């Protein structure tokens, strides 16, 4: 392949190591499998432990890969690990999902719908130039991602046609591109996702985790874009009746999200292109939503989901109204602020919000408290 070795273990123009090949053992002068030095290298063991932590070396089955990682690390291997990296797009900073000094990203919500639960009609059927003041405010308020949706996913929402959803979203993307923000398309339909990405959107935010359209995961894989897989059961019309978690909501959500990650990887989506969302407000009771915020660190550490990036979206949702007694969604700013702070404390990488000005202050303060490295930057 053109490699010329100049310095032993030094920089090289290409380096291809074969770590494992099923359970085979190969020992030739030119090739040794398993790789003889793989158990000494943290940067090899960490991704292996994300994928196959309980596997053992075929020539030494006494320890799992997770055991070897604990041996290599002088500290708790999951307390402050070498950071995994996830990508939004090539123009925006990557997500370092376990770095102590990472800043929480803010995703702003723009619904071009007449019936979204808290801001329906604000941008629906309006001249696109009406978006301009809002987008300028987002830049000043340090929002780096904009999530645009053309189909309401509130509980009980009716579906619009695919064509109507595409038309709503596409017109907004053209305007959003002028502001050099990372553009997310909020859809569970693969055709809408494809049209949006090809028009300039950067990532897909699928509230169904790829369950409502069997073509969504393969479409995202072919497009090569990042996708956020949210936890949900059923559809927006039926999800409120699907809140039974026999093993508890954290275990249930963790297990079902792991199934979606496995399905996404099987469809060809790279692991570093996947963001997870616990799905607050989707097939959860008020108490279950609160518990997920309380126990977010446990969910982030669920076996098979460690070191992945998490998006949390509590903004103005019904469980906040139920707890605080605030009926009007647009007036749930203080409750949202508390939930956003809890999400940051629990390790969220991105928070999805309506009230960007207020929540950017909440995030900055929360980062200063729980991620002091981010505050010092």
């Amino acid at each position: 392949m053109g490699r010329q070795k100049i310095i032993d273990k030094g920089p090289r123009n290409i380096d291809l190591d074969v770590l494992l090949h099923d359970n085979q053992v190969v020992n030739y002068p030119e090739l040794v499998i398993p790789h003889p030095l793989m158990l000494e290298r943290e940067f090899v063991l960490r991704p292996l432990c994300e994928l196959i932590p309980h596997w053992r070396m075929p020539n030494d089955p006494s320890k799992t890969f997770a055991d070897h990682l604990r041996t290599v690390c002088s500290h708790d291997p999951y307390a402050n690990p070498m950071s995994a990296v996830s990508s939004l797009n090539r123009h925006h900073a990557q997500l370092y999902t376990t770095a102590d000094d990472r800043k929480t990203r803010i995703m702003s919500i723009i619904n071009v719908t007449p019936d979204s639960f808290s801001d329906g009609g604000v941008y629906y059927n309006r001249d696109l130039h009406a978006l301009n003041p809002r987008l300028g405010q987002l830049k000043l308020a340090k929002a780096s991602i904009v999530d645009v949706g053309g189909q309401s996913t509130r509980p009980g929402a009716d579906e619009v046609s695919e064509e109507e959803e595409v038309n709503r979203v596409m017109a907004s993307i053209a305007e959003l591109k002028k502001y050099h923000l990372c553009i997310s398309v909020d859809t569970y339909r693969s055709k809408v996702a494809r049209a949006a990405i090809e028009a300039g959107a950067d990532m897909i935010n699928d509230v169904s985790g790829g369950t409502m359209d069997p073509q969504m995961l393969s479409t995202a894989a072919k497009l090569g874009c990042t996708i956020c897989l949210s936890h949900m059961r059923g559809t927006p019309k039926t999800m409120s009746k699907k809140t039974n978690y026999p093993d508890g909501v954290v275990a249930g959500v963790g297990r079902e999200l792991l199934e979606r990650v496995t399905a996404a990887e099987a469809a060809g989506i790279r692991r570093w292109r996947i963001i997870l969302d616990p799905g607050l407000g989707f097939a959860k009771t008020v108490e279950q939503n609160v518990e997920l915020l309380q126990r977010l660190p446990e969910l982030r550490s669920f076996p098979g989901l460690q070191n992945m990036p998490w998006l949390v979206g509590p903004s103005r949702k019904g469980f906040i109204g139920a707890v605080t007694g605030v009926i009007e969604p647009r007036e749930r700013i203080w409750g949202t602020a508390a939930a956003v702070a809890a999400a940051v404390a629990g390790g969220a990488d991105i928070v999805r919000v309506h009230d960007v000005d207020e929540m950017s202050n909440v995030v900055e303060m929360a980062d200063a408290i729980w991620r002091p490295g981010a505050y010092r930057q």
Side-chain angles (χ1 to χ4, degrees), residues 129-366:
H129 292 296
L131 279 173
N132 289 344
R134 169 68 169 162
L135 296 176
Q137 290 169 3
L138 297 184
K139 293 286 283 187
L140 291 173
K142 302 179 182 178
S144 57
I145 311 167
V146 176
D147 194 36
V148 57
Q151 160 71 55
S152 175
T153 54
R154 62 178 172 78
D158 293 320
E159 287 191 336
V160 300
S161 70
E162 206 167 66
E163 181 182 8
E164 173 65 15
E165 186 181 356
V166 168
N167 289 338
R168 292 176 181 180
V169 167
M170 294 291 280
S172 301
I173 289 174
E175 196 68 25
L176 289 166
K177 286 172 64 178
K178 300 176 183 177
Y179 288 82
H180 307 291
L181 295 159
C182 178
I183 303 172
S184 167
V185 58
D186 180 4
T187 186
Y188 50 76
R189 289 169 165 160
S190 59
K191 290 184 179 178
V192 177
R194 176 179 289 280
I197 297 297
E198 290 178 348
D202 301 292
M203 62 176 282
I204 301 165
N205 183 17
D206 183 350
V207 297
S208 80
T211 61
M212 291 184 64
D213 184 338
Q215 300 303 314
M216 177 60 91
L217 298 181
S218 59
T219 297
K222 290 172 185 175
L223 292 169
C225 63
T226 295
I227 183 168
C228 180
L229 303 176
S230 181
H231 177 269
M232 187 176 77
R233 291 173 167 179
T235 69
K237 271 196 172 295
T238 65
M239 62 184 178
S240 297
K241 300 177 182 178
K242 298 179 179 292
T243 59
N244 182 31
Y245 296 86
D247 299 326
V249 68
V250 172
V253 170
R255 183 170 56 252
E256 291 170 27
L257 276 178
L258 181 58
E259 291 171 359
R260 302 317 304 153
V261 170
T262 301
E265 291 181 317
I269 299 174
R270 304 300 186 190
R271 193 176 184 87
W272 56 87
R273 286 291 191 182
I274 299 174
I275 297 170
L276 300 179
D277 182 338
L280 298 180
F282 292 84
K284 318 286 189 305
T285 64
V286 172
E287 294 76 16
Q288 288 166 346
N289 286 306
V290 172
E291 183 177 353
L292 283 170
L293 282 171
Q294 291 170 336
R295 300 174 62 189
L296 184 59
E298 293 177 54
L299 185 58
R300 292 176 63 241
S301 299
F302 190 87
L305 302 182
Q306 299 102 325
N307 300 336
M308 298 194 73
W310 287 82
L311 181 153
V312 179
S315 187
R316 299 182 180 178
K317 288 188 173 175
F319 77 94
I320 294 175
V323 171
T324 63
V326 178
I327 297 173
E328 173 55 50
R330 296 184 194 185
E331 296 177 2
R332 295 172 184 161
I333 294 177
W334 292 108
T336 296
V340 166
V344 174
D349 300 279
I350 304 169
V351 289
R352 182 177 182 271
V353 300
H354 296 85
D355 305 291
V356 174
D357 288 342
E358 295 86 347
M359 295 311 129
S360 65
N361 288 335
V362 172
V363 164
E364 283 193 317
M365 195 67 223

Side-chain angles (χ1 to χ4, degrees), residues 79-85 93-105 300 344 347-349 363-364 366-377:
N80 186 22
M82 179 186 300
S83 183
V85 177
Q94 296 171 318
L95 298 172
Y96 290 86
T97 58
T98 53
D100 287 339
D101 61 352
R102 73 191 192 280
K103 291 185 177 182
T104 307
R105 308 289 179 88
R300 292 176 63 241
V344 174
D349 300 279
V363 164
E364 283 193 317
D367 277 348
I369 296 169
W370 287 290
R371 300 177 194 173
Y375 171 63
R376 289 192 294 267
Q377 289 183 23

